[in-house]
Amino acid sequence: SIVRSYGIDVCYDDGCIAVNQHGMTKYITVYPAMKIEPVENDSVFISDQQIKYAKPFAVKKILDVFGN
């Protein structure tokens, strides 16, 4: 609901989470914190530890992708 307040739509489709704003879509990928963060153009990578203990950082990563 926090990212929705910034005008970002959240879609759940076939086990995938996608965020969309102004026609740009990015997929949310959760990865284990003990691994190095992967890099892909169409995904936002958030560690499992950020989701569990540092939600503001996870939200900021999503907002930064869209320039909010």
Side-chain angles (χ1 to χ4, degrees), residues 6 8-9 52 66:
Y6 286 90
I8 298 172
D9 296 322
K52 189 172 184 180
F66 294 108

Side-chain angles (χ1 to χ4, degrees), residues 40-64:
E40 286 183 23
N41 290 336
D42 64 344
S43 294
V44 178
F45 291 93
I46 300 173
S47 75
D48 57 348
Q49 295 296 313
Q50 286 176 324
I51 289 176
K52 189 172 184 180
Y53 299 113
K55 287 181 182 68
F57 290 108
V59 170
K60 184 175 179 343
K61 283 182 97 172
I62 295 169
L63 296 178
D64 288 347

Side-chain angles (χ1 to χ4, degrees), residues 3-19:
V3 294
R4 286 189 182 126
S5 67
Y6 286 90
I8 298 172
D9 296 322
V10 180
C11 306
Y12 305 97
D13 187 32
D14 292 330
C16 295
I17 301 171
V19 288

